Amino acid sequence: MSHPRWPLQFLKMFCDPSLVDEIEGDMEEMYWKWLSKYGRAKARRLYVFHTLKFLRPFIFKKRSTYPSNSFDMVLNYFKIAWRNISRNTSFAFINVLGLTLGVACVVMIYTLVSYHTSFDTYHSKADRVYRVVTEIHRDEVSYRAGVPQPLGKAFANDFSFSEKVARMKAYWSVIVSLPDEKDVPKFKEPGTVAFAEPALFEILDIPLVIGSISETNGALITKKYARKYFGTEDALDKTVKVSFAGTSHDFKVTGIIEDTRPNTDIRYEVFLSYADLKHLVPWFVADDAWGSIHSDMYCYVLLKPGVSPADVDNAFPAFERKYFPKEDAEAYAFKLQPLTDIHSDPNYGGEFKKSNLWAFVLAGVFILAIASFNFINLAAAQILNRAKEVGVRKVLGCMKSHLFSQFIVETGLIAIVAVIAGYALARLTLPAINTLINTRLELSLTAHWELPVFIASTWLILVFISGTYPALMLTRFQPATVLKSKLTDGTRGGFTIRRTLIVTQFVIAQLLIVCMLVIGDQVRYSINSDMGFDKEAIVLLPIPMWDITRARTLGNRISEMPGVRNTTLCFESPAGNSNSFTGVSFDNTNKIEPWSINLKDADENYLATFGVQLVAGRNLLPSDTAREFLVNETVVKRLGLASPQEMIGKRINVDEGTFVGEIVGVVKDFYNLSFHENISPIVLTTNPERYRTLAVKLDLANSNEPIAAFNRLWTETYPDHVFSYEFLDDRIAAFYNHDKAMLNMVEGISVIAIIISCLGLYGLVSFMAVRKTKEIGVRKVLGAEVKHILWLFASEFVLLISVAFVIAAPLAWLVMDGWLEQFIYRIDLLPMNFVLALTGTLLVAAVTVSYHSLKSAVANPVNSLRAE
């Protein structure tokens, strides 16, 4: 039996080791005398006190434990902190791991939120720039980002609100070729080409690098596309040929502009002179073409200083009455949309709702909180190991402020390592995250000053939250109680607080898990549900020219290929992004119905190819001129008819007399938009002038093999264009890209939350293993089995997780019920998702606590009872 070594080892951290060695022999001799006279327990206490008393003059007069100047004192804090961390590597590793995951998650969320809130804010006049948008008020309100083409010119002429007005028309199916280059290379440019008026470049900050802006026959291209087309950024005076909708025109490159920024919704790489549209689509640019609203026809306005957008909105009703008939004037309402709101307004095609961003901000706060709680729990589990250290320091005269500073420095060291590792982890995973959520996030400490400020603030918050409570808890120990090994549960401080922290962690984790399960179910429901038509093994091939002879020839040749079941020519598939909504009337009346109808142009094979079912009447007959119509069941319901049969034979007038004829059939309702929106009233009719898609139904067993043959036949038919194709099920899945991106983010956050929560649980079990050492030994001596010891630990976390579930379940129900309201067609909230969240959490937690609980359960009770 030897004397305790820890007092001398501890003092060597602060004093010259030779001082300690000089008295070690004398103290050992005194210890043996005390042992024989008083017994082991009192001898050990006397040894500790006399050792400290003997060394006190040396420490405070000759070798001061706490240096006299501030710099040396701070340096000393770091030295001691490093020694303590080095001696408790497992504790430090778990803390760093938990904080690293939390910091990485928070940095990514900050980057995501700052990215989406920065869209188009960089324009110098952004606070005065607005886009004119359209609300259509019929039986329900619908929203269009586009406006009638003449609106921009009329707005500039009729009002004095603006400094500049610019129109822009984007096209999604454009071929750019280089007629002066060898082999005339061709490029398909979906969504990157737009016709724009010169004033657009005065409204928005689109810097011109070289050249000038031309009123006619001019093209501005970005540096990126100059390299893409010509292999150099010096592309001035080069010629590009732009082809779309069966027409083409040559443009001279008159200027090179800066590359498109990632944080803008105006992502066009090629700008063409707006005035040239009159040569390409003269009917579209007519000053009286108020009858149609194209989704890609935009009007941007730069208001004069001091002009309120409310003033403009109040003036629009009179403007509408001037240019529209009475019925349409009541239906159409124009509004100003701030440039910086375009990205976050889903009504007009915004990519990311502000509510979703705030949800991620809240998730980031939660993650940072549970990472800090995890640190606190692990620190609390180490209290008994640090208690004697605190007692010795207090005996030596150390003030509470010095002890507090020491623990804060240790927390700061761990936190700074975690912050650096978290940032590195975020950088490492950034490409994968960009792919998962389809964004272009960037992490650069030099490009954006806000990021290093945010990271430094995160470090300070971590140090304050994670370090304050453990430091206060440890510094309030009474040295006499600690050194006599009489530290009780009450003086350990805050086991109830640690339970509260664990419960809070698992409330957040279970809330996120339920959200993840519900969002996943809704996305899968949206993608996999029956939409009222076939979407499997259907290939959509573009028809680049309005030439019905060529299109039918291509369709006939493809239909004769093995593995092809059917083909149809149409404007668009049953569900797609391009929809044509217009007014409708019935039975030769002039009454326009108070709702819009979705006009779909299709030949007689449309129903068979897409599997759309007839519920009354017959199919369309092949025709290029005669007008026959099919309507869906929603039209029957809107008209208040008792059955679909009553629709047969009725006359229909679509788009103010553009299409007039007889209804010959009614088809079963199918979803023409995403599940976020109602099924629209739909009318189908033959109209060869508007066929722009060849849909091919394949045998499922051979869905990929014919693509090469399609390429060959299509290229033979349209040699001046670039072949492309799309599977219909992929197009429908793209409706829910934003929902899938949100699901991926929630999944990642949920995994991190549960990992950090389990690390906190590990800290609690570590604390319990130390606290219950003697209790476990006594129980085993009295005959307790391993399973009883395991339940001693399990009962603790089962109770905590169950309490967390009781709190998290109603919160998750409210949150997810609100989120599902954005879907017209939605799943029901199932109790099974909540049961899965609870069960999964319990299983993961069981694995987490198994190590310490098994180790304690199988330990030798003799060793347990010997423990102090």
Side-chain angles (χ1 to χ4, degrees):
M1 186 182 300
S2 62
H3 63 83
R5 300 283 182 181
W6 65 264
L8 297 176
Q9 294 171 349
F10 172 77
L11 292 175
K12 286 182 179 180
M13 295 170 55
F14 306 97
C15 307
D16 187 344
S18 62
L19 290 176
V20 180
D21 294 337
E22 289 176 5
I23 66 165
E24 185 173 7
D26 295 336
M27 292 306 302
E28 184 174 357
E29 182 179 347
M30 293 175 64
Y31 174 77
W32 291 112
K33 290 180 181 179
W34 292 327
L35 181 64
S36 61
K37 185 175 181 180
Y38 301 112
R40 178 172 177 270
K42 189 172 182 179
R44 293 173 69 89
R45 289 197 298 272
L46 288 170
Y47 178 85
V48 171
F49 282 111
H50 280 271
T51 299
L52 299 177
K53 183 179 178 181
F54 185 84
L55 286 176
R56 194 164 182 172
F58 293 95
I59 295 171
F60 288 99
K61 294 181 180 179
K62 298 180 180 180
R63 302 281 184 172
S64 177
T65 304
Y66 295 96
S68 58
N69 64 73
S70 300
F71 176 79
D72 290 340
M73 183 177 292
V74 172
L75 185 62
N76 198 57
Y77 288 157
F78 279 98
K79 288 180 180 179
I80 297 171
W82 177 251
R83 290 171 186 169
N84 284 324
I85 292 171
S86 301
R87 290 193 179 101
N88 298 279
T89 53
S90 59
F91 163 75
F93 174 77
I94 294 172
N95 267 327
V96 169
L97 177 60
L99 292 177
T100 295
L101 292 174
V103 169
C105 184
V106 167
V107 167
M108 288 308 308
I109 290 174
Y110 169 81
T111 305
L112 176 73
V113 172
S114 60
Y115 169 75
H116 284 291
T117 54
S118 69
F119 267 65
D120 290 308
T121 57
Y122 61 88
H123 296 285
S124 59
K125 306 170 186 174
D127 59 325
R128 294 193 288 126
V129 178
Y130 294 82
R131 183 175 71 174
V132 184
V133 294
T134 308
E135 290 182 5
I136 302 176
H137 297 260
R138 296 193 186 276
D139 58 333
E140 59 186 25
V141 180
S142 57
Y143 304 90
R144 303 286 184 271
V147 294
Q149 189 278 147
L151 183 141
K153 183 177 180 180
F155 184 94
N157 291 335
D158 292 9
F159 297 131
S160 59
F161 296 123
S162 61
E163 284 185 8
K164 297 288 180 181
V165 178
R167 292 174 288 182
M168 183 176 73
K169 177 67 174 79
Y171 282 94
W172 285 86
S173 183
V174 175
I175 301 296
V176 175
S177 58
L178 311 177
D180 296 336
E181 303 296 315
K182 184 179 180 181
D183 299 328
V184 190
K186 298 184 289 290
F187 305 88
K188 184 160 189 173
E189 299 295 356
T192 59
V193 178
F195 290 82
E197 292 184 311
L200 182 71
F201 301 93
E202 300 179 58
I203 296 174
L204 304 176
D205 292 348
I206 305 177
L208 188 67
V209 177
I210 190 173
S212 60
I213 301 171
S214 176
E215 292 279 353
T216 59
N217 294 323
L220 301 177
I221 63 177
T222 61
K223 294 189 293 184
K224 173 183 174 182
Y225 267 57
R227 293 190 298 270
K228 174 182 175 180
Y229 292 155
F230 304 104
T232 175
E233 294 183 5
D234 184 14
L236 287 182
D237 297 329
K238 301 283 188 179
T239 299
V240 294
K241 184 175 185 178
V242 177
S243 304
F244 65 96
T247 184
S248 61
H249 192 73
D250 288 346
F251 294 86
K252 180 187 289 187
V253 177
T254 62
I256 307 297
I257 57 177
E258 286 288 355
D259 289 335
T260 304
R261 293 197 185 195
N263 58 335
T264 180
D265 284 304
I266 305 171
R267 298 174 180 167
Y268 303 102
E269 309 282 355
V270 178
F271 290 95
L272 307 173
S273 301
Y274 189 87
D276 293 305
L277 274 175
K278 65 184 179 183
H279 305 303
L280 302 171
V281 280
W283 59 269
F284 177 76
V285 296
D287 289 342
D288 59 352
W290 290 89
S292 60
I293 298 175
H294 291 253
S295 58
D296 297 319
M297 180 65 235
Y298 305 114
C299 178
Y300 292 91
V301 176
L302 175 64
L303 297 184
K304 292 179 179 178
V307 175
S308 166
D311 296 336
V312 183
D313 289 342
N314 292 334
F316 269 133
F319 181 82
E320 294 147 10
R321 290 191 295 269
K322 177 178 179 180
Y323 291 101
F324 287 97
K326 181 179 179 182
E327 298 82 2
D328 289 342
E330 293 176 355
Y332 291 103
F334 301 114
K335 305 285 184 182
L336 289 187
Q337 180 189 33
L339 177 69
T340 52
D341 284 356
I342 292 175
H343 187 71
S344 59
D345 193 338
N347 288 332
Y348 301 103
E351 292 186 8
F352 227 98
K353 292 175 63 177
K354 285 185 177 178
S355 59
N356 289 342
L357 291 178
W358 283 113
F360 284 125
V361 169
L362 190 60
V365 172
F366 285 162
I367 289 294
L368 197 62
I370 63 176
S372 299
F373 295 165
N374 169 65
F375 185 98
I376 293 171
N377 280 321
L378 289 172
Q382 294 292 317
I383 286 177
L384 289 180
N385 296 335
R386 303 294 297 273
K388 290 184 179 180
E389 174 191 338
V390 174
V392 171
R393 291 193 186 190
K394 285 195 170 184
V395 168
L396 297 176
C398 180
M399 293 185 294
K400 281 188 176 182
S401 60
H402 292 155
L403 287 171
F404 184 87
S405 300
Q406 179 64 62
F407 292 122
I408 289 295
V409 168
E410 290 183 24
T411 303
L413 282 177
I414 292 174
I416 199 167
V417 172
V419 166
I420 294 171
Y423 174 75
L425 180 61
R427 284 291 300 266
L428 186 66
T429 57
L430 183 64
I433 291 173
N434 277 333
T435 301
L436 280 175
I437 63 177
N438 192 29
T439 58
R440 294 187 284 178
L441 303 180
E442 296 178 350
L443 268 176
S444 174
L445 294 175
T446 56
H448 306 285
W449 64 267
E450 300 93 340
L451 181 58
V453 171
F454 174 78
I455 292 175
S457 302
T458 302
W459 176 77
L460 289 173
I461 292 170
L462 283 175
V463 172
F464 177 77
I465 296 176
S466 304
T468 301
Y469 172 70
L472 291 174
M473 185 168 55
L474 287 168
T475 55
R476 70 168 181 244
F477 288 156
Q478 295 300 319
T481 304
V482 172
L483 295 177
K484 288 179 181 180
S485 299
K486 292 184 178 181
L487 191 63
T488 63
D489 284 350
T491 57
R492 288 190 194 112
F495 184 62
T496 301
I497 292 179
R498 285 193 293 279
R499 281 183 167 181
T500 303
L501 296 180
I502 288 290
V503 168
T504 304
Q505 286 179 313
F506 278 98
V507 166
I508 296 170
Q510 292 182 358
L511 173 63
L512 290 170
I513 291 171
V514 172
C515 293
M516 175 185 68
L517 294 173
V518 173
I519 294 173
D521 285 350
Q522 178 63 41
V523 171
R524 284 187 290 273
Y525 171 77
S526 301
I527 294 175
N528 300 325
S529 293
D530 180 14
M531 300 189 70
F533 60 89
D534 293 340
K535 57 186 177 182
E536 302 295 332
I538 293 182
V539 182
L540 305 177
L541 305 177
I543 301 299
M545 300 175 62
W546 287 338
D547 185 335
I548 188 60
T549 302
R550 286 196 195 187
R552 284 175 175 161
T553 300
L554 176 63
N556 292 335
R557 295 179 68 186
I558 288 178
S559 64
E560 296 171 357
M561 293 175 55
V564 174
R565 292 175 54 185
N566 216 329
T567 63
T568 182
L569 288 167
C570 56
F571 178 77
E572 185 60 275
S573 59
N577 290 318
S578 296
N579 292 277
S580 178
F581 289 89
T582 186
V584 62
S585 62
F586 295 92
D587 289 340
N588 295 319
T589 66
N590 293 325
K591 177 191 173 185
I592 303 296
E593 296 296 331
W595 38 269
S596 298
I597 199 165
N598 188 352
L599 174 63
K600 291 186 176 292
D601 309 282
D603 68 10
E604 68 279 5
N605 297 320
Y606 192 85
L607 302 190
T609 302
F610 291 109
V612 178
Q613 300 178 20
L614 270 171
V615 295
R618 61 171 175 83
N619 190 15
L620 301 171
L621 296 176
S623 174
D624 289 344
T625 54
R627 290 292 177 208
E628 293 182 338
F629 296 87
L630 302 175
V631 296
N632 66 345
E633 293 172 305
T634 297
V635 174
V636 179
K637 297 172 187 175
R638 292 291 179 94
L639 292 176
L641 302 180
S643 70
Q645 291 291 344
E646 296 184 33
M647 285 297 304
I648 307 304
K650 284 185 176 292
R651 299 287 292 178
I652 185 173
N653 183 328
V654 181
D655 196 19
E656 298 181 350
T658 304
F659 304 98
V660 180
E662 182 180 316
I663 297 172
V664 298
V666 177
V667 298
K668 186 176 181 179
D669 274 343
F670 57 85
Y671 295 95
N672 62 305
L673 300 166
S674 76
F675 279 23
H676 290 276
E677 303 179 61
N678 280 312
I679 295 176
S680 306
I682 295 172
V683 59
L684 295 93
T685 187
T686 54
N687 184 18
E689 294 180 358
R690 280 172 50 89
Y691 294 160
R692 72 173 196 180
T693 301
L694 174 63
V696 183
K697 176 68 174 177
L698 304 175
D699 288 330
L700 285 173
N702 302 306
S703 59
N704 289 315
E705 295 179 3
I707 299 299
F710 292 169
N711 188 353
R712 177 177 55 81
L713 294 177
W714 193 95
T715 304
E716 290 177 1
T717 307
Y718 303 106
D720 295 330
H721 297 270
V722 180
F723 174 76
S724 64
Y725 69 94
E726 183 180 14
F727 280 98
L728 179 57
D729 54 353
D730 291 338
R731 172 179 291 185
I732 293 171
F735 287 165
Y736 308 100
N737 281 341
H738 299 316
D739 299 311
K740 288 187 287 186
M742 185 174 181
L743 173 61
N744 291 332
M745 286 291 292
V746 173
E747 285 177 341
I749 294 171
S750 301
V751 169
I752 291 175
I754 195 68
I755 290 175
I756 297 175
S757 298
C758 287
L759 288 173
L761 190 61
Y762 181 89
L764 178 63
V765 175
S766 301
F767 172 80
M768 291 173 60
V770 175
R771 185 171 66 93
K772 296 178 180 290
T773 299
K774 286 187 177 181
E775 178 186 346
I776 293 169
V778 172
R779 286 176 179 269
K780 294 194 72 175
V781 168
L782 295 177
E785 299 179 9
V786 172
K787 62 182 180 181
H788 298 136
I789 305 301
L790 291 177
W791 178 244
L792 185 66
F793 288 93
S795 59
E796 186 75 37
F797 76 78
V798 168
L799 172 64
L800 297 178
I801 293 176
S802 299
V803 171
F805 178 76
V806 171
I807 300 172
L811 290 176
W813 187 284
L814 290 173
V815 171
M816 282 294 93
D817 188 60
W819 181 79
L820 288 171
E821 287 182 357
Q822 66 179 297
F823 292 89
I824 302 298
Y825 307 98
R826 48 169 282 184
I827 61 171
D828 294 323
L829 282 171
L830 301 176
M832 181 56 64
N833 285 329
F834 296 83
V835 173
L836 287 174
L838 176 60
T839 305
T841 306
L842 287 172
L843 289 175
V844 174
V847 173
T848 303
V849 303
S850 61
Y851 170 73
H852 270 296
S853 56
L854 281 172
K855 183 179 178 182
S856 299
V858 301
N860 189 333
V862 175
N863 296 330
S864 300
L865 294 173
R866 282 179 177 173
E868 289 188 282

